Amino acid sequence: ISEEHYFEKNNIVSSNNYYFADAIVRYSPKKSKPDYELSCQNIFNNRSFVSALLLNNVETVSNYRLRPRQLLFKVSFSF
């Protein structure tokens, strides 16, 4: 499991509090050739990330659209 937390408070946008997390589970049986993996990206299903920056007389607000939660099941074979 990997996670990140972002908190931003300023006068341009309301307080932004973001939690991002991904998880991976792997299973490799000893007597079998295939390896199995289940992964989940964006566990909390964040849809956007807003960042604001104020320097001197320049105001920049960036709004990033994020990929929705994604599940992936993978089977790998070794020969």
Side-chain angles (χ1 to χ4, degrees):
I1 295 178
S2 64
E3 63 86 22
E4 292 185 32
H5 174 249
Y6 292 93
F7 177 76
E8 182 178 34
K9 182 176 181 177
N10 56 45
N11 296 332
I12 300 172
V13 294
S14 61
S15 296
N16 293 324
N17 201 13
Y18 296 100
Y19 291 95
F20 298 102
D22 300 330
I24 298 176
V25 177
R26 291 186 182 102
Y27 176 65
S28 300
K30 292 183 180 182
K31 295 184 178 184
S32 179
K33 292 215 179 215
D35 295 330
Y36 305 97
E37 180 177 297
L38 178 65
S39 63
C40 181
Q41 282 78 35
N42 195 5
I43 292 173
F44 301 117
N45 204 25
N46 295 311
R47 297 295 178 148
S48 65
F49 178 78
V50 178
S51 178
L53 179 63
L54 180 61
L55 296 173
N56 296 332
N57 295 328
V58 177
E59 174 183 313
T60 304
V61 177
S62 301
N63 187 356
Y64 301 95
R65 291 181 53 206
L66 304 176
R67 291 180 65 167
R69 180 183 303 124
Q70 175 179 325
L71 292 173
L72 177 67
F73 180 72
K74 183 166 72 170
V75 179
S76 302
F77 292 93
S78 304
F79 297 101

